[in-house]
Amino acid sequence: MSAPSRTLVLRSDRLALEVLTAGAAVRRLTLDDGGPVDLVLGHHDPGTYVADGGYLGATVGRFTNRLGGGRVVVDGTEHRVPPNDGANALHGGPEGWDRRTWEVLEEAPSRVVLGLVSPDGDQGLPGEVTARVTYEVAGDEVRLHHHATTTAATYLGMTNHAYFALDDAPDVLDHRLEVDASSFTPVGPDLLPTGDVLPVDGTLFDLRQARRIGDVLALDDEQLVRGGGLDHNLVVDGAGMRRAARLVGASGRWVEVHTDRPAVQVYTGAHFDGSLTGLDGRPLRRSAGVALETQGFPDAAHHPAFPDATLRPGEVFEARTTWRVGRS
């Protein structure tokens, strides 16, 4: 049986971040805006996370996004991850790291380090993986650092799956979204990438200028039908630590996402159907929040032109993401 989840609260002069050892998840992020205001979706009942977290704020692994057929070949050997998204495996399959209780390795008023050892064969993948996630709050920033090593070559990626919702509203349709991406990876009917990397010019994915989310979702486009809205990988311009996206609510509250990862998955929460209860006790319904998941390319194992997602012994997987928040 997993150890009981702990709740840790990190603070700066403007922010409070509530982190759970269940799923190494962010349950709550509040900004002092004349009083604490919630900026991310969280479960009303913290006990929900490991049993049925729905990825809200969770640390995702051993890999991010979809893996076609749950199948990956590493150095000539095929490995199978149990499916949990039709025929595909999503975010590590049915026993992903979002369903694990992580260990507190370091704890301070504004910083915490959580760790997990994923045994050889976990999720059907090779190698014993030692993973860490660091959360740090400073001023108007939340800094996330994902780190992993392995004893054998394996398929790996990590991210945080927070859903931002910056207004006291049932959905994010009035939020304006800007993404610093000149290209995207279109998806087929199963939401797996086709393998193409296409320019955003002239498409609904051209978010280089801020657009109202509701206006984007109202467009007539097969890609939106397939995703039930936005559920797509956008390729972030540039390299190294740079801005990936900016989201602004009708309230004027905003969040900027900075990352050193190559891409960001924009997901507008098509699956929310009222069965989950949010922090305020209200049911979470369609488009209750928008996820901005910094990541490698989805299904990279099946597309040689995509950035390689193989981690080998002696290498270190590291990913850094910063959420900068404020009010206009």
Side-chain angles (χ1 to χ4, degrees):
M1 178 180 290
S2 299
S5 178
R6 286 187 58 197
T7 299
L8 307 109
V9 180
L10 312 180
R11 299 185 187 277
S12 71
D13 55 343
R14 298 199 68 198
L15 303 177
L17 183 76
E18 182 179 317
V19 175
L20 305 180
T21 56
V26 171
R27 178 172 179 254
R28 182 168 240 149
L29 171 61
T30 60
L31 170 70
D32 184 359
D33 187 18
V37 177
D38 286 314
L39 302 181
V40 300
L41 301 183
H43 288 284
H44 185 69
D45 177 6
T48 303
Y49 279 80
V50 165
D52 187 20
Y55 306 115
L56 263 69
T59 296
V60 167
R62 280 189 181 192
F63 57 87
T64 59
N65 217 297
R66 292 173 175 86
L67 176 65
R71 173 183 172 273
V72 59
V73 176
V74 180
D75 292 345
T77 300
E78 181 178 287
H79 303 274
R80 295 277 186 165
V81 180
N84 62 332
D85 183 58
N88 307 315
L90 176 66
H91 296 324
E95 296 298 328
W97 288 352
D98 59 295
R99 291 179 175 263
R100 313 293 172 86
T101 300
W102 292 57
E103 179 185 1
V104 179
L105 302 179
E106 300 177 30
E107 184 179 355
S110 61
R111 182 176 182 271
V112 65
V113 182
L114 303 177
L116 179 74
V117 176
S118 175
D120 182 30
D122 188 17
Q123 302 168 6
L125 295 170
E128 179 181 274
V129 173
T130 300
R132 295 202 311 264
V133 56
T134 302
Y135 293 106
E136 184 174 8
V137 176
D140 62 357
E141 293 185 349
V142 178
R143 300 166 186 165
L144 299 83
H145 179 207
H146 295 99
H147 178 285
T149 58
T150 182
T151 60
T154 195
Y155 184 65
L156 189 133
M158 297 174 67
T159 192
N160 180 276
H161 205 298
Y163 289 88
F164 293 100
L166 308 179
D167 299 336
D168 182 14
D171 57 51
V172 294
L173 298 182
D174 283 332
H175 286 47
R176 297 181 65 81
L177 176 63
E178 183 178 354
V179 182
D180 300 303
S182 299
S183 56
F184 75 105
T185 54
V187 297
D190 54 4
L191 291 180
L192 291 173
T194 62
D196 296 320
V197 180
L198 301 180
V200 299
D201 304 76
T203 76
L204 67 93
F205 301 102
D206 191 350
L207 298 168
R208 291 171 294 185
Q209 298 293 324
R211 298 171 70 180
R212 180 178 174 272
I213 289 177
D215 293 341
V216 175
L217 297 187
L219 296 172
D220 182 12
D221 191 284
E222 183 63 26
Q223 288 290 305
L224 289 178
V225 174
R226 291 173 179 176
L230 289 171
D231 191 3
H232 292 79
N233 177 63
L234 278 69
V235 183
V236 181
D237 295 338
M241 199 71 181
R242 74 279 193 213
R243 194 184 78 164
R246 177 181 172 89
L247 182 70
V248 183
S251 61
R253 290 186 285 271
W254 54 264
V255 59
E256 285 188 351
V257 178
H258 295 246
T259 188
D260 60 2
R261 299 295 281 148
V264 59
Q265 184 84 5
V266 179
Y267 176 49
T268 50
H271 74 289
F272 290 124
D273 59 4
S275 60
L276 301 178
T277 304
L279 292 167
D280 59 6
R282 295 185 295 193
L284 300 177
R285 303 197 182 277
R286 191 180 184 91
S287 299
V290 56
L292 300 170
E293 307 156 56
T294 56
Q295 61 177 13
F297 285 25
D299 199 33
H302 298 129
H303 302 284
F306 286 4
D308 187 18
T310 305
L311 181 69
R312 300 182 180 280
E315 298 176 344
V316 178
F317 172 89
E318 289 192 274
R320 297 181 187 275
T321 297
T322 297
W323 303 333
R324 186 173 300 155
V325 303
R327 192 178 194 282
S328 302

